Amino acid sequence: MIAIGGGGYVPARILRSFLKRPSSPNIPIQAIGLSLYETLSNSDPVEQPGTKVTRTQWLDFSTLEMSNLVGKNILIVDEVDDTRTTLEYAVRELEKDVDTARQKLGGEGAAARFSIFVLHNKDKPKKGHLPEDMMSEGRYLAASTVSDVWICYPWEATDIDEHDGMAQKQMVNSHE
């Protein structure tokens, strides 16, 4: 499993608990950091999508045991699919890097097979695109599809009481 940080870390950890089979080893979680969002001002917690994906952390293939990824089913986890730009970048670059690692190991065996899980898919046109086979084979999974609203997750809150109050207010307003 590969978590896209920072939003994918918590969902990946929770998923690992549900996916682990009794008497089997824990599912390893690797982490990559990608940033697309930009803060507009110090007073506004809402961020806007930027124009370019920035790598803030990536897998170190010189130290990572290649057998952990080569030829495996790999689940990429993030909290939200907004523009799909970050997911497109992650899939494209990970496929390329893992295939390069496979070639260095002799090119034997199957290629890695990537899937995606997000908590929320925003129901809007996407700028990024995912591989057609991933979409047609059901390897893109969203727990929920939501309208195009800003989502503040509990693990992002600096004041959890304020977060809970705003979430409650948003639920009341959405039912009016």
Side-chain angles (χ1 to χ4, degrees):
M1 188 177 312
I2 297 177
I4 298 177
Y9 297 154
V10 173
R13 177 58 189 91
I14 293 168
L15 270 175
R16 181 172 80 171
S17 293
F18 285 96
L19 295 175
K20 184 183 182 305
R21 294 188 178 107
S23 68
S24 64
N26 264 336
I27 298 167
I29 300 174
Q30 304 295 333
I32 60 174
L34 299 174
S35 178
L36 178 67
Y37 287 87
E38 300 169 353
T39 302
L40 297 180
S41 72
N42 289 338
S43 62
D44 188 356
V46 175
E47 297 176 336
Q48 294 297 316
T51 56
K52 160 182 177 256
V53 176
T54 303
R55 279 190 195 192
T56 58
Q57 176 182 339
W58 200 252
L59 302 177
D60 181 355
F61 287 99
S62 66
T63 60
L64 183 67
E65 187 179 321
M66 289 302 120
S67 62
N68 285 344
L69 298 176
V70 174
K72 301 291 170 92
N73 290 318
I74 302 167
L75 184 63
I76 300 170
V77 180
D78 206 357
E79 85 278 40
V80 65
D81 180 0
D82 188 345
T83 65
R84 197 164 282 165
T85 306
T86 302
L87 293 172
E88 175 188 40
Y89 181 92
V91 170
R92 182 183 65 240
E93 295 299 308
L94 286 166
E95 282 180 338
K96 185 171 52 177
D97 288 353
V98 174
D99 192 58
T100 298
R102 185 175 70 85
Q103 296 303 322
K104 286 182 181 177
L105 292 171
E108 306 272 328
R113 187 172 154 94
F114 290 91
S115 299
I116 291 175
F117 173 81
V118 294
L119 290 178
H120 296 105
N121 171 42
K122 290 191 179 180
D123 188 16
K124 68 182 203 177
K126 306 295 186 186
K127 293 179 184 174
H129 303 282
L130 297 172
E132 186 56 42
D133 62 325
M134 177 182 284
M135 302 304 283
S136 66
E137 294 171 7
R139 292 186 287 124
Y140 172 88
L141 306 159
S144 182
T145 296
V146 297
S147 61
D148 186 15
V149 296
W150 181 254
I151 303 168
C152 183
Y153 294 95
W155 54 87
E156 296 175 329
T158 54
D159 181 335
I160 196 64
D161 293 327
E162 178 186 24
H163 171 273
D164 289 350
M166 290 173 64
Q168 197 66 281
K169 183 179 175 183
Q170 186 174 1
M171 285 213 310
V172 169
N173 290 342
S174 69
H175 294 299
E176 292 177 347

